[in-house]
Amino acid sequence: MPSASSPIRTTRFAASGISVCGDVGGHPAARPVILLHGGGQTRHSWRRAQQELIAQGFYVISLDARGHGDSDWPVEPDYSFDALAADLRAVIATLPRLPALVGASMGGATALYLIGNSPTPIASALVMVDIVPKLEQEGAKKIGDFMNANPEGFATLEEAADAVSKYYPTRKRPKDASGLMKNLRLRDDGRLHWHWDPRMLAPKERVEPPQMAQQMIDACRGVKLPTLLVRGTESDIVGQNGVEEFRKLLPQLQVADVAGAGHMVAGDKNDAFNQSVVDFLRALPPD
């Protein structure tokens, strides 16, 4: 197995009319894994997971989706599945081997959509992190309310931290909120805004729940590769009914429950999350 000798470096990939930013690490000859964050997040949400996967011998790319983090904002605000999937396809095209795709929420749905609609094999495996077609509506509404709140931004970092704590009260608030700056940008108005394009919140542009359900269901018909669902047992997004419906669509589905984790599984219980993903990837047949 190749050693994970290279440090994590930040690079850019030419995508569908834009460029997207990614952190890359591990030996290029190792099995590739692409990490895809959820809507409103950035590649930094995967930092500890990426480090662990690299340590376990994988070649890992953690991407900022279009309009998020350090990736470009498209001139026309196209945040459809087609656009997100085209960006991902362009990154995959740079690899010598088919990658395993690990996606949370929007990222998982994008990976499922790409795989299910690709005429030729595009990935070796799929990991869906707390996302299924049939979502719990109260939790989905909570996400939408959070993303639509505070369009005027924040005067201070502490105000932004207050907003996160209100949305996710079960997560311990860090004493030092400076890490949150990776998810914020200072705009010309002198205020801090979330590090994503607010135009994606237009109803016709969104692929966050619940608008994406039917497209995910349709895509499942074309997904035949090994698939893992990692679910937080405290998630208000993925319930048991949603898991069972997903099993009917994907008979090969494996499920790993992470005890005590909510929707932000990797952030809530990172060690248990990492172990679930590594175990699944290790069990894949050689490619």
Side-chain angles (χ1 to χ4, degrees):
M1 180 177 63
S3 62
S5 57
S6 65
I8 294 175
R9 66 188 187 282
T10 300
T11 189
R12 303 194 73 84
F13 298 89
S16 183
I18 61 169
S19 73
V20 294
C21 185
D23 288 339
V24 181
H27 196 293
R31 181 189 289 272
V33 178
I34 298 180
L35 303 174
L36 307 162
H37 62 74
Q41 296 184 310
T42 70
R43 70 189 190 279
H44 301 296
S45 64
W46 294 117
R47 174 58 66 173
R48 287 186 294 163
Q50 183 179 28
Q51 291 171 337
E52 178 61 20
L53 287 167
I54 292 169
Q56 291 293 329
F58 296 95
Y59 179 68
V60 188
I61 300 173
S62 181
L63 287 177
D64 277 337
R66 61 169 47 212
H68 292 71
D70 295 312
S71 289
D72 291 345
W73 293 11
V75 175
E76 296 297 325
D78 185 357
Y79 294 99
S80 64
F81 267 136
D82 285 335
L84 291 163
D87 294 342
L88 178 54
R89 181 182 287 278
V91 175
I92 292 172
T94 68
L95 297 171
R97 303 162 64 183
L98 296 181
L101 303 180
V102 179
S105 199
M106 180 189 79
T110 299
L112 179 80
Y113 181 86
L114 174 62
I115 294 167
N117 288 284
S118 179
T120 57
I122 194 73
S124 62
L126 172 63
V127 179
M128 304 279 285
V129 183
D130 213 65
I131 185 67
V132 296
K134 183 179 181 180
L135 301 176
E136 298 296 311
Q137 291 305 305
E138 184 175 344
K141 181 179 183 301
K142 186 178 176 182
I143 290 177
D145 290 346
F146 173 77
M147 295 185 70
N148 280 287
N150 307 110
E152 73 287 352
F154 307 98
T156 66
L157 182 60
E158 286 302 315
E159 281 189 11
D162 288 342
V164 174
S165 294
K166 182 179 178 181
Y167 168 68
Y168 219 57
T170 56
R171 179 178 290 183
K172 185 178 179 181
R173 180 167 176 164
K175 293 180 180 179
D176 181 2
S178 60
L180 193 57
M181 279 303 300
K182 292 179 179 179
N183 295 312
L184 294 162
R185 63 168 63 180
L186 183 65
R187 293 193 189 161
D188 293 340
D189 61 4
R191 296 177 66 83
L192 296 168
H193 294 258
W194 295 122
H195 213 340
W196 40 267
D197 183 356
R199 300 175 301 168
M200 75 177 182
L201 297 178
K204 68 177 182 177
E205 309 298 346
R206 289 189 66 191
V207 295
E208 275 290 292
Q211 292 88 346
M212 59 193 180
Q214 189 58 51
Q215 289 172 295
M216 290 178 66
I217 290 170
D218 293 342
C220 284
R221 300 188 185 100
V223 178
K224 308 299 181 184
L225 44 62
T227 304
L228 172 69
L229 169 65
V230 183
R231 176 180 65 161
T233 59
E234 304 301 316
S235 173
D236 58 357
I237 291 291
V238 176
Q240 190 58 37
N241 287 340
V243 174
E244 294 308 319
E245 290 294 322
F246 202 24
R247 283 188 191 276
K248 293 176 183 177
L249 294 165
L250 293 180
Q252 78 273 28
L253 183 69
Q254 302 175 45
V255 179
D257 286 335
V258 177
H263 182 54
M264 309 297 185
V265 185
D268 288 347
K269 299 290 181 180
N270 191 253
D271 289 346
F273 169 79
N274 291 344
Q275 193 62 57
S276 296
V277 174
V278 169
D279 288 348
F280 172 74
L281 295 176
R282 285 268 180 258
L284 294 175
D287 58 355

